[in-house]
Amino acid sequence: MGIWSLEAGTPSLQAYLASGWSFDLPEGGGDPAVWTIAQEASLVLPTPPSGDRDVRMELTLSPFVGADVTHQDVWVFFGDLFCAFGRIASQGVVSGLLPRQALTGPTFTMRVNLPDACRPADLGVSADQRLLGVRFISMSLVWE
Amino acid sequence: MEGSRPLVHRWTEMSTAFLRIPAPLIPSRMELTLEGVPFVVDGRVPHQDVHLFVEGAFTAFARLAGAGVVSGVLPASVIKPGQAELTLAVVTPDSVVPATLGLGDDQRSLGFALQRLTLGA
């Protein structure tokens, strides 16, 4: 069995964030706050050495909710290929099998689509003008 | 009922459900059709959006307010020579747990009841 994982506190995390993410280090120290700040965010990840085995992806996220926004829909694609969907109202896991066609090169691109992302300022819950969807907590790829 | 045979069905029980079907022996242009019934409740759940992916590739979408079909042409790229199976993902973002609506004790998150699947040229 093999496992490859990333957490918000992983020092190299920022290197994998391709687009659509914030990376804010707290003043008092601790893990960075990594939020999606667009309706699509992407990561570029190393292809796992899984051979012909199925690879399961588990993405732990915390949604932005407030006022009338009760959940975030999360669609995960690898390249153009669907991998997983989840509707999360609190911290939770979105999981699915990686499409094998996406694992042909040394790296692959994971796209996270967030149709319900919204600006806290528009909801009147804070002055934050960013388009928030989900906060990245951790991610793992597991193959048997 | 269809003739004298009752139509059986299988519910999607989560917002994403997977099934595997035998792949066509010869890769060619094929149309995939799912027939079934959405989980709808008068005045509360008016429809179900059904997204269909085959081997991860988007294949079809339908918004169903009653019995209907979700149908699309398989992207040619998803069928490889010698491939034994195809994996289908059926995504119903608005699936609902009937118990949360006060409709019995069913704790499954129901979206779409599949009655028939057809793969044809």
Side-chain angles (χ1 to χ4, degrees), chain A residues 54 56 73 75 77 80-87 95-97 99-101, chain B residues 15-16 18 20 51 53 55-58 77-78 80 89 91-95:
Chain A
D54 284 336
R56 171 160 290 278
D73 281 356
W75 295 82
F77 293 85
D80 291 329
L81 300 175
F82 171 80
C83 176
F85 168 83
R87 175 168 288 179
S95 66
L97 290 178
R100 291 185 187 181
Q101 300 96 312
Chain B
S15 60
T16 306
F18 295 92
R20 285 190 165 140
H51 306 251
F53 300 87
E55 293 292 314
F58 174 77
S77 60
V78 307
K80 303 283 191 297
V91 184
T92 49
D94 302 313
S95 60

Side-chain angles (χ1 to χ4, degrees), chain B residues 3-104:
Chain B
S4 60
R5 291 172 49 213
L7 268 179
V8 296
H9 63 265
R10 288 292 294 268
W11 280 106
T12 57
E13 298 181 354
M14 302 174 68
S15 60
T16 306
F18 295 92
L19 67 157
R20 285 190 165 140
I21 63 172
L25 293 176
I26 302 171
S28 60
R29 186 183 186 280
M30 307 286 280
E31 183 161 354
L32 178 65
T33 301
L34 274 57
E35 297 175 51
V37 179
F39 180 74
V40 293
V41 180
D42 275 350
R44 302 174 80 177
V45 184
H47 60 257
Q48 291 286 336
D49 286 348
V50 184
H51 306 251
L52 175 63
F53 300 87
V54 179
E55 293 292 314
F58 174 77
T59 303
F61 168 83
R63 174 166 288 179
L64 300 178
V69 301
V70 187
S71 183
V73 175
L74 289 186
S77 60
V78 307
I79 307 175
K80 303 283 191 297
Q83 185 169 345
E85 294 182 323
L86 296 175
T87 300
L88 279 56
V90 180
V91 184
T92 49
D94 302 313
S95 60
V96 179
V97 177
T100 64
L101 301 177
L103 302 172

